């Protein structure tokens, strides 16, 4: 049957379709990761690229699942250190060298096991190795499940900013096992919730209200095992799927998913990645919503409601005044969303709808207005 979060299978999993692949969401879904990977890629060699902290929990399950589904295939495991600071060209180079040394050919499939850093990095390895091999995404963080693993963006960071070197490379499949959230530190869980809130802001006022009400419960110490997460993740994926399907290469409407990310990425960079991605995005969304009200784009009260929802998830929403506003402003200039030297922002019109700006879905903002909200 079809639900608010995609179709439901006989196993009780939710499946959301994107252009060319499907996202499977459920409890215990990693047990079927091998079957899904084998059905979608038929590789001779599966290389799991896993976060070193995640691998002890789940790598053996994935290996066993792959061995059962593809008994003739070669299996290998490459570990990467955790943390955004390791999502670099140097580590990309090291991983591709390891693949070459192992004899991996064009009949190789990369299996990304971990959070958004691993998904972006392993996806970029897959996009560029032998001019492109398949990747199967197995996200183990809330952020990766609702955002990083879906949509086909891959890349690495540079000293100038996040994700400035990368490629569009959609996965062959995504398998999100909600049970993996049980081993996620609560700080990571809360950071991931920022992207959940974002999906409500940009596309679905009813979903936002639901998320707003559930935030205290789902981001509590025991929240990771809450049954509501299956529905929450499925609806977030469905929202992103609809946006990506309409604009796969981010030439128009897909820009709405950048809400909070222009200032958020800049704050994350200036923090030296001491702030988690979702923590920086929570601050970025609050500030950009205030910017939208200042410019007369958003309805009054929009920023306050976004701020309240994020605070209900125990996320900070105020600009960290230990950072220099002008340094943050300067960091936005290297953002991928800059056009013709002007920095563009995707801004909300109200909860559940973004400002279309004559089909551009973003608007150039003056330095004076940005500095005013940074305060």
């Amino acid at each position: 049957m079809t639900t608010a979060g995609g179709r439901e299978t006989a196993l009780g999993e939710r499946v959301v379709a994107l252009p060319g692949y499907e996202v499977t969401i459920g409890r215990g879904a990693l047990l079927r990761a091998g079957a899904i990977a084998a059905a979608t890629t038929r590789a001779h060699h599966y290389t799991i690229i896993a976060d070193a902290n995640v691998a002890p929990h789940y790598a053996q399950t994935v290996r066993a699942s792959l061995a059962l589904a593809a008994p003739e295939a070669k299996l290998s495991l490459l570990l990467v250190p955790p943390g955004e600071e390791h999502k670099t060209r140097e580590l990309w180079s090291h991983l591709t060298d390891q693949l070459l040394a192992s004899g991996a050919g064009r009949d190789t499939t990369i299996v990304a096991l971990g959070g958004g850093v691993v998904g972006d990095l392993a996806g970029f390895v897959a996009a560029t190795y032998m001019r492109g091999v398949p990747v199967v995404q197995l996200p183990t963080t809330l952020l990766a499940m609702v955002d990083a693993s879906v949509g086909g963006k891959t890349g690495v960071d540079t000293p100038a900013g996040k994700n400035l070197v990368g490629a569009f490379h959609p996965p062959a499949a995504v398998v999100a096992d909600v049970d993996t959230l049980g081993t996620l530190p609560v700080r990571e869980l809360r950071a991931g919730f920022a992207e959940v809130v974002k999906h409500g802001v940009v596309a679905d006022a009813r979903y936002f209200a639901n998320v707003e009400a559930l935030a205290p419960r789902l981001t509590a110490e025991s929240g990771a095992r809450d049954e509501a997460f299956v529905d929450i993740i499925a609806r977030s994926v469905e929202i992103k799927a609809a946006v990506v399907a309409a604009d796969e290469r981010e030439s128009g409407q897909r820009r709405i998913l950048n809400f909070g990310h222009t200032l958020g990425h800049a704050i994350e960079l200036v923090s030296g990645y001491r702030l988690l991605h979702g923590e920086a995005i929570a601050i970025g969304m609050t500030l950009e919503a205030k910017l939208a009200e200042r410019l007369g784009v958003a309805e009054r009260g929009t920023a306050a409601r976004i701020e309240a929802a994020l605070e209900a998830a125990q996320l900070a929403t105020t600009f960290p005044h230990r950072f220099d506003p002008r340094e943050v402003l300067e960091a936005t200039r290297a953002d991928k969303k800059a056009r013709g030297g002007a920095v563009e922002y995707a801004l909300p019109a109200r909860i559940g709808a973004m400002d279309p700006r004559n089909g551009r879905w973003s608007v150039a903002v003056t330095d004076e207005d940005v500095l005013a909200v940074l305060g």
Side-chain angles (χ1 to χ4, degrees), residues 172-340:
V174 179
V175 181
D177 187 338
V178 181
D179 284 341
T180 62
L181 298 181
T183 55
L184 194 65
V186 70
R187 182 187 175 197
E188 294 271 2
L189 186 74
R190 290 168 182 163
F193 210 80
E195 293 285 354
V196 173
V197 171
K198 182 194 78 176
H199 288 138
V201 174
V202 304
D204 188 338
R206 181 177 297 180
Y207 178 60
F208 179 90
N210 187 35
V211 165
E212 187 178 33
L214 288 173
R217 189 177 104 199
L218 296 185
T219 57
E221 291 285 346
S222 59
R225 301 189 184 278
D226 198 299
E227 289 297 322
F229 263 120
V230 174
D231 290 335
I232 289 289
I233 293 166
R235 181 58 186 143
S236 262
V237 171
E238 190 179 54
I239 288 169
K240 184 163 185 180
V243 175
V244 171
D247 179 20
E248 200 168 353
R249 294 277 173 161
E250 201 176 287
S251 58
Q253 188 178 0
R254 185 169 175 170
R255 292 173 185 166
I256 69 175
L257 298 174
N258 292 328
F259 170 56
H261 285 59
T262 304
L263 286 175
H265 278 172
I267 291 167
E268 187 180 3
L269 177 66
V270 170
S271 81
Y273 300 112
R274 289 186 295 276
L275 287 176
L276 296 177
H277 174 73
E279 292 171 334
I281 297 309
I283 297 168
M285 282 194 288
T286 304
L287 295 173
E288 291 182 20
K290 290 178 178 179
L291 184 60
E293 289 191 22
R294 176 182 172 87
L295 297 175
V297 171
E299 291 180 356
R300 289 293 174 190
T302 300
R305 193 164 172 206
I306 293 169
E307 185 173 17
L310 293 166
E311 289 178 347
Q314 302 187 57
L315 287 162
T317 58
T318 57
F319 179 69
H321 288 290
R322 64 185 181 277
F323 302 151
D324 183 347
R326 290 197 172 275
E327 188 177 355
V328 172
L329 177 66
E330 192 60 34
T332 67
R333 302 192 199 285
D335 194 275
K336 302 182 301 301
K337 296 174 283 297
R339 297 289 187 275

Side-chain angles (χ1 to χ4, degrees), residues 31-62:
L31 295 172
R32 294 209 318 111
I36 292 170
T40 54
T41 66
R42 302 181 184 276
H44 173 70
H45 184 171
Y46 291 94
T47 296
I48 303 166
I49 298 180
D51 181 300
N53 286 347
V54 171
H57 295 286
Y58 305 115
Q60 186 52 43
T61 298
V62 175

